[in-house]
Amino acid sequence: MTVVPSHSPGSETDDAVTVPPARAATRTGDGGDHPAPSSVSGNALARAALVTASLSIAGSLLGLVRDQSLARLFGAGSDTDAFLVAWTVPEFAATLLIEDGLAIALIPAFSMALARRARGAPGDPVRALVGATLPRLCLALAAVAALIAGTAPYLVKALAPGLPDPGLAADCTRITATCVLAFGLAGYCSAALRAHRCFLAPAAIYVVYNTGIIAAMFLLGAGWGVRSAAVGVAAGGCLMVAVQLPSLWRRLASPTPHLAKAGAVAEERPMQLALVAAVLLFALCRQSQVLVERFLASGLPAGAISHLNYAQKVAQIPMTLSLMVCTVTFPVVARALADGDTARARSRVERDLALASWLVLLGMCAVVACAPEMIELLFQRGAFTAGDTDATADVMRVYALGLLGQTLVGALVRSYFSAGRATWYPLGAMAAGIAVTSWIGAGAVPSWGVAGIAAANALGITVTATLLLAGLRTGRPNSTHGVSVRVRPVLAELSRLVAAAAAATAAGAFAASRLPSPAAGLTAGLLTVTFVFVPLSWAFGAQSSASALRSLRAVTRRLTHGRFR
């Protein structure tokens, strides 16, 4: 989920949120000029996080509107199940090419290129990197998209052998296959822009993506049925690229700054095929949780896949918002390692783990405590019945128990690849988690149904998070990554937060159940969760509580004098 001065010459009118640049060189004690380590103030990171958060929230809200529209227009029956099987393609593409895959591999590569540019390397290392990687990536992604479209019926049969209408699912899969190329280009643009500390355009991609899907469903739904949602996926993918191209083009087309050489130029290190393979295989393995879930759910009564999907989409909102912290700071960690400052990288990672865990646990409390009220208010209309609400809420409560593990996996895996070197340990940890998910899910489905699948998901991802954290412990022998963390302090912080979350969840569920109106119950539950979790985590000595308050104060102070550009 890198760094050069905050904007290129001629970009003062850009719409990007930028971070003030560090000085190009400092005088050291040996009398030589050396590049200054890139540094980012807390206020600058807070401002970038605020913009990312605002657009992430907007994208998440539009995602809810998208799911509400899908539920209202097509319900939770066999047609929706067919589309959701085809939805596997954009889900995999988003994880591999936008979120956990391509970005993790590309941001360290761009970080090194930007560091070499700042140190006076000949030519423009950033443009050279783009020229060496982008054309090949486009050809590979186009070939994969064509392969998926051509084998759609066989793919559907493999993903969901018990699906009532495989023909409809195959039609939708052929349409959604186009997103492979679009998502790849969108992910490439996002990685390059985040490396330049530009967060506005990358954060806006899910806003335009969900807008495209919603518009297509309402414009084409009457005649095309659920296929209209697949058309929206294809259109939304194109919009994701279009919203980022102007900002990226300005950075690549602007004249390269002429910097005097300050000390030794960093050695060029081309992006390794092994690194790309390790990152993509990890992301593929992680996303295979969806394959396990839908394979097991396809044999259950119609609507099971839909209930699981709606529950996941709502429950994952806290995880998405918590990981925005790592999205903003990952380029900082990568640049620190490019500059050789491992202590600063470790400190940043430990703070990110604490703050992301605090945020996701606060959201998890709300999801578990107020699940029925949330689902009823969000989805219970049109073809989505009260029975669907009960089933979805039950699944969502179980699924939410794995949110902390999901967040930790998303945060920790960046540390393994932030130095731009290949390591296969994350893939092994993820494979162990998938094995746990598969075994427990297969055993729990006959008795527990969809709730058993959700429980297996939570347990499997928790196993992966535990293994990833253990692999980053300080002093671990034969470590190939650049960041280590002090595991005991991290676990102590997590235990305090989990204790506060348990108390807040119980109090919130009690408050929400006392009121007959779902709106009033949701409001009471959310307020109770907040007013219990925040002071209780503070009282337990969780450092992330103080960090969250400091970040909020930094943002509010910056907004008074700061400007967006």
Side-chain angles (χ1 to χ4, degrees):
M1 44 234 69
T2 302
V3 182
V4 77
S6 59
H7 53 274
S8 302
S11 65
E12 275 70 14
T13 59
D14 197 355
D15 59 353
V17 175
T18 57
V19 175
R23 290 179 299 170
T26 56
R27 178 69 64 179
T28 59
D30 60 4
D33 288 326
H34 296 283
S38 60
S39 61
V40 185
S41 69
N43 286 351
L45 282 178
R47 182 176 62 162
L50 174 66
V51 175
T52 304
S54 300
L55 287 172
S56 295
I57 291 171
S60 296
L61 290 176
L62 282 171
L64 283 177
V65 174
R66 176 203 67 205
D67 293 337
Q68 287 176 321
S69 303
L70 184 68
R72 180 173 183 173
L73 294 172
F74 309 113
S78 59
D79 284 2
T80 310
D81 286 353
F83 167 72
L84 291 175
V85 171
W87 182 265
T88 304
V89 175
E91 282 182 324
F92 263 77
T95 299
L96 290 172
L97 304 174
I98 299 177
E99 296 161 8
D100 292 340
L102 201 60
I104 293 177
L106 283 174
I107 286 180
F110 274 106
S111 295
M112 183 60 67
L114 290 167
R116 295 185 70 247
R117 174 200 276 180
R119 294 170 185 172
D124 187 346
V126 177
R127 294 181 191 174
L129 176 62
V130 173
T133 56
L134 186 56
R136 298 175 184 177
L137 179 68
C138 289
L139 288 174
L141 293 176
V144 172
L147 179 63
I148 292 173
T151 60
Y154 307 101
L155 184 61
V156 168
K157 186 176 181 180
L159 291 175
L163 199 66
D165 192 351
L168 177 59
D171 290 344
C172 292
T173 300
R174 293 187 183 97
I175 300 171
T176 58
T178 59
C179 75
V180 173
L181 177 58
F183 281 21
L185 292 173
Y188 194 97
C189 293
S190 295
L193 288 171
R194 286 170 180 163
H196 285 82
R197 304 258 180 93
C198 172
F199 298 98
L200 181 58
I205 59 176
Y206 287 110
V207 174
V208 297
Y209 172 64
N210 288 320
T211 299
I213 298 175
I214 294 166
M217 284 194 291
F218 279 101
L219 291 174
L220 305 175
W224 288 40
V226 79
R227 293 178 180 86
S228 62
V231 173
V233 170
C238 296
L239 293 174
M240 294 169 87
V241 179
V243 77
Q244 297 182 94
L245 276 181
S247 293
L248 182 58
W249 179 257
R250 281 192 289 271
R251 279 157 179 77
L252 296 179
S254 61
T256 303
H258 297 286
L259 300 176
K261 290 189 178 183
V265 176
E267 180 183 356
E268 182 176 8
R269 188 171 65 204
M271 193 165 59
Q272 304 171 358
L273 180 60
L275 170 63
V276 177
V279 172
L280 292 182
L281 286 174
F282 169 82
L284 184 66
C285 188
R286 181 179 182 183
Q287 194 60 27
S288 65
Q289 283 183 310
V290 177
L291 300 183
V292 174
E293 294 166 4
R294 288 181 182 163
F295 182 88
L296 295 174
S298 67
L300 296 174
I305 295 177
S306 299
H307 296 149
L308 187 60
N309 171 76
Y310 293 131
Q312 288 177 340
K313 292 298 188 295
V314 177
Q316 285 178 349
I317 291 176
M319 179 195 71
T320 302
L321 297 180
S322 65
L323 284 177
M324 71 186 179
V325 175
C326 303
T327 298
V328 171
T329 60
F330 180 48
V332 178
V333 175
R335 182 60 182 268
L337 292 176
D339 290 333
D341 193 348
T342 56
R344 183 161 59 91
R346 181 181 66 186
S347 175
R348 182 74 259 173
V349 168
E350 290 178 350
R351 283 182 288 170
D352 290 348
L353 287 174
L355 184 54
S357 299
W358 188 88
L359 290 170
V360 77
L361 284 173
L362 176 60
M364 186 203 75
C365 294
V367 169
V368 175
C370 308
E373 292 78 12
M374 285 183 181
I375 298 300
E376 182 174 350
L377 287 173
L378 289 173
F379 298 114
Q380 191 173 312
R381 58 184 60 86
F384 199 91
T385 66
D388 293 325
T389 294
D390 293 338
T392 303
D394 291 342
V395 174
M396 189 168 75
R397 278 177 160 159
V398 178
Y399 182 84
L401 299 178
L403 288 180
L404 178 60
Q406 297 277 7
T407 298
L408 290 176
V409 169
L412 289 168
V413 72
R414 289 165 167 82
S415 300
Y416 281 90
F417 298 110
S418 55
R421 293 192 292 266
T423 174
W424 300 99
Y425 182 83
L427 177 61
M430 194 68 245
I434 292 297
V436 171
T437 299
S438 302
W439 293 335
I440 295 179
V445 163
S447 301
W448 298 89
V450 183
I453 298 174
N457 179 297
L459 289 171
I461 201 66
T462 302
V463 168
T464 298
T466 302
L467 293 174
L468 288 178
L469 183 59
L472 284 178
R473 67 185 183 274
T474 304
R476 183 173 181 263
N478 302 321
S479 175
T480 59
H481 50 78
V483 182
S484 297
V485 298
R486 294 165 293 184
V487 173
R488 287 187 179 180
V490 170
L491 291 177
E493 177 76 4
L494 293 177
S495 65
R496 298 184 188 104
L497 294 176
V498 169
T505 301
F510 177 80
S513 64
R514 297 300 94 187
L515 298 173
S517 167
L522 179 60
T523 302
L526 294 178
L527 290 175
T528 302
V529 162
T530 302
F531 288 120
V532 173
F533 179 79
V534 174
L536 199 57
S537 62
W538 182 290
F540 286 166
Q543 297 299 315
S544 49
S545 299
S547 178
L549 293 177
R550 284 196 301 270
S551 298
L552 180 60
R553 286 196 297 268
V555 168
T556 55
R557 285 199 305 268
R558 188 69 179 179
L559 286 176
T560 306
H561 305 289
R563 63 191 180 100
F564 298 108
R565 55 187 172 199

